[in-house]
Amino acid sequence: MPHMPAISLFRGVVPKLVIAWAVVAAFQFEFHSWLSADMSPMVAIGCFAVLFATILMAAFGVVREADALAHRLGEPYGTLILTLSIVSIEVILIAAVMLGPGEAPTIARDSIFAVMMIIMNLITGICLLAGALKYGEQEYNAPGTITFISMILILVGVALLLPNTLSTGNGTFTPVQAVVLSVLTVIGYGGFLALQMGRYRSDFMQPEAGRMWILLSEAASRNKADDTKAQASGSSNLMHAVRLVALMLPIVLLAHDLAIIIDNGVVQAGAPVAVGGVLIAIIVFTPESITAIKAALNNETQRAINLCLGAFVSTVGLTVPAVLTVGLMTGKTVVFGISAVETVLLALTIGLTTLTYLGHRTSATQGMLHILLFFVFGLMLFTA
């Protein structure tokens, strides 16, 4: 009986793997020729539906395996694995669009901005409201949450705001700036991860009821307990990791085909260019968003924050250097500077997030305001 959960999980993974790899084989050997600039609307819709469903199914599988690792390894390791898995998928999809037949100089910028508005406003707002309706005010770890916001302020400011002030005048970095900023972003993000998993690990754990932080005297014992638990389930962790990779590979292989359809669909529909970035954000972050909402409903507020704010820190920390590198290697233009409307929305989002997590317990009112700001973004996307 104690082995039943693992067996059940394996049975749930096998159908996903079979379907995902069958679709990969079909598009590699049979259907890829259908994906051209003159594809009919029916073919485009049909192929998009199949690819979208397959990638989303595989992404849910990735989240499930990463979530299992999260519970075994404890915070922040588990959530970090989940976040890095999801953000890696996003980077793959963005790179696929950039390397596609069309020009998509703003796809990375649009995706990053869409992720910010979805994760930091819509999902954060839902988590705050759902938690408030079930538990009232909820505790979280204030030092770790403020660290996330500080990272977001610097990474987003450099990536999306700084380009608009440069002499290039078109929201781009020069090659020298792109190289140096890529290196600095990697160093900054890598340093943050090292501190998050090391000395300041306790800042990203759920504190006891009634408290907003974990004392250093308590942190060592909690870290030791989590490490012992992770070592005890080493073989199980390896199986989850293998299945995670096996589910992620089909996403990598299908990303290029989906990118062709998204690029063609946005052009044919005459939709705003930013819609492509929004679609990528929705595809990639839907499973993680559901996981964050479940965490809030389980009174694991810090885990929900780690998923939401941590996902966006990872999005910027990984996407910016990856995309700048692709641009330099292929000679394609990469535009990161955002518009005046987006600048206002960015400032409102970071300002509201800071006030939301300023060391007080969570508030339903703040959740409502985050959701309101997301709908303002939706309005501006199609009317500004």
Side-chain angles (χ1 to χ4, degrees), residues 122-365:
L122 178 61
I123 305 306
T124 293
I126 292 173
C127 287
L128 292 172
L129 275 178
L133 290 174
K134 189 170 182 179
Y135 300 102
E137 295 180 339
Q138 293 176 288
E139 294 87 0
Y140 57 92
N141 202 320
T145 305
I146 294 300
T147 301
F148 275 135
I149 297 173
S150 300
M151 286 293 297
I152 289 170
L153 178 63
I154 296 303
L155 291 177
V156 172
V158 170
L160 302 185
L161 297 180
L162 186 61
N164 287 331
T165 68
L166 301 177
S167 58
T168 54
N170 56 0
T172 63
F173 294 112
T174 65
V176 172
Q177 291 169 341
V179 171
V180 175
L181 287 175
S182 294
V183 173
L184 290 176
T185 300
V186 169
I187 292 173
Y189 180 62
F192 166 73
L193 290 184
L195 292 172
Q196 183 187 21
M197 294 184 293
R199 183 173 183 178
Y200 296 97
R201 178 176 167 185
S202 60
D203 285 350
F204 303 91
M205 297 177 178
Q206 181 70 38
E208 300 294 333
R211 291 166 57 180
M212 300 295 291
W213 59 82
I214 295 175
L215 298 176
L216 288 177
S217 58
E218 301 170 347
S221 60
R222 291 188 63 167
N223 291 347
K224 186 176 180 180
D226 282 347
D227 291 341
T228 302
K229 181 180 176 182
Q231 291 171 5
S233 56
S235 60
S236 177
N237 293 342
L238 179 61
M239 286 302 298
H240 284 295
V242 169
R243 291 195 288 258
L244 186 150
V245 173
L247 284 163
M248 188 177 289
L249 284 176
I251 298 174
V252 175
L253 297 172
L254 295 174
H256 181 68
D257 294 329
L258 183 67
I260 294 173
I261 298 173
I262 289 176
D263 183 59
N264 184 68
V266 169
V267 173
Q268 295 298 324
V273 176
V275 169
V278 173
L279 283 174
I280 288 176
I282 292 172
I283 292 169
V284 171
F285 284 96
T286 293
E288 187 172 12
S289 298
I290 293 173
T291 304
I293 295 168
K294 287 181 177 178
L297 290 172
N298 290 332
N299 208 22
E300 299 173 335
T301 315
Q302 186 58 41
R303 184 154 193 264
I305 291 171
N306 290 349
L307 287 166
C308 291
L309 300 187
F312 188 57
V313 169
S314 298
T315 294
V316 185
L318 294 176
T319 303
V320 170
V323 168
L324 288 175
T325 301
V326 170
L328 289 170
M329 293 178 65
T330 61
K332 293 205 172 189
T333 302
V334 177
V335 177
F336 269 119
I338 58 177
S339 68
V341 171
E342 291 170 330
T343 300
V344 172
L345 290 173
L346 184 151
L348 290 173
T349 297
I350 294 180
L352 179 59
T353 303
T354 303
L355 293 173
T356 296
Y357 297 117
L358 207 57
H360 306 288
R361 290 177 178 82
T362 59
S363 163
T365 302

